[in-house]
Amino acid sequence: MKLATWNVNSLKVRLPQVLDWLAANPVGALCLQELKLDHDKFPLEAFAELGYQACWAGQKTYNGVAVISKGEGLHVQRNLPEFDDHQQRIVAATLSSPIGDIRVISAYCPNGQAVGSDKYEYKLRWFAALREWLAGELKQYPRLAILGDYNVAPRDEDVHDPAKWEGGVLVSAPEREAFGALLDLGLTDAFLMFDQPEKSFSWWDYRQMAFRRNAGLRIDHVLVSDALKPFCTACIIDKEPRRNEQPSDHTPVVATLEFGSA
């Protein structure tokens, strides 16, 4: 069973690319971020033609998240229940698997804009609310994976030029601490479970030929719970979609769960 995450930066623009990618890369679940679509504009029929179901939380122009899955998503939760927020940043669904139910969450974490700004303070409050909610989710669903665009590069190795970015948004100490607090709940960054190429990134700015220069950041993550960790056998960044014409500035991250060998 493969679990993938992809910030598509407008599903309306990138729908053909997403469908092509799914056709070539079948997954148990694909978590999407930045749909940038009204809730009632979600292209469910297009995914159904490939044999997928979906649950989503849409928002015009900004935000929006989805879980595209082979099986039906149950017990769907949209947004953080104890955090008053109109922004559509969370959707969670329970999927069946050979080892029992797995809770899959698609998360689009706030960007923060600039350290010290109102949006930065909102980001830190949002992360605190996410941690509080996840603590309860993990008790109810010990087999849990939360995938998405976290807008945090956790380590200097996840930044193409740490000195240039030092202290800035996406890499500041409070943001990294907020990300680490999620891990402290009993979650593991699946990508770091395996040997990976140096300078592995999931996002590259559209400007200054950043992708060509590999001037990127690793800010898209797959976090798996302690109960799922033994089944995770691989996690990769698929850079191919970033080479598309009119690509998203992000590219998919894909984790593989093998249930027959653990």
Side-chain angles (χ1 to χ4, degrees), residues 103-236:
R103 190 67 162 168
V104 175
I105 304 167
S106 179
Y108 177 45
C109 306
N111 176 277
Q113 190 177 52
V115 173
S117 69
D118 290 346
K119 290 184 178 180
Y120 182 80
E121 296 305 319
Y122 161 73
K123 179 177 188 174
L124 297 181
R125 288 188 289 107
W126 191 92
F127 262 95
L130 175 65
R131 186 187 190 280
E132 184 176 354
W133 175 67
L134 276 178
E137 288 289 286
L138 282 162
K139 290 179 181 178
Q140 187 173 0
Y141 305 102
R143 292 178 294 273
L144 180 148
I146 174 167
L147 305 86
D149 175 3
Y150 285 78
N151 270 311
V152 177
R155 315 166 303 153
D156 283 352
E157 293 88 343
D158 301 317
V159 182
H160 69 94
D161 187 345
K164 179 180 179 181
W165 282 79
E166 185 176 4
V169 71
L170 311 186
V171 304
S172 70
E175 291 169 281
R176 286 177 167 178
E177 290 166 6
F179 183 84
L182 302 182
L183 302 181
D184 290 342
L185 291 172
L187 296 169
T188 297
D189 184 341
F191 190 75
L192 298 184
M193 292 172 59
F194 309 98
D195 291 335
Q196 303 288 359
E198 291 186 5
K199 296 188 179 299
S200 292
F201 307 125
S202 63
W203 171 86
W204 301 261
D205 201 318
Y206 287 125
R207 298 167 294 181
Q208 299 177 331
M209 297 186 292
F211 181 66
R212 186 179 299 180
R213 296 186 296 111
N214 198 29
L217 301 176
R218 189 177 73 91
I219 57 176
D220 303 89
H221 309 297
V222 178
L223 305 186
V224 295
S225 66
D226 288 343
L228 274 189
K229 184 178 175 181
F231 301 95
C232 187
T233 59
C235 187
I236 64 162

Side-chain angles (χ1 to χ4, degrees), residues 51-99:
Y52 287 90
Q53 303 185 45
C55 55
W56 67 94
Q59 184 174 355
K60 185 178 181 180
T61 308
Y62 301 106
N63 308 315
V65 285
V67 176
I68 314 298
S69 57
K70 280 291 188 181
E72 182 182 5
L74 303 175
H75 313 297
V76 175
Q77 170 71 46
R78 294 178 177 87
N79 282 336
L80 302 174
E82 302 300 323
F83 190 73
D84 186 15
D85 189 12
H86 71 280
Q87 300 190 39
Q88 302 298 314
R89 295 187 174 277
I90 288 283
V91 65
T94 303
L95 305 178
S96 62
S97 83
I99 60 169

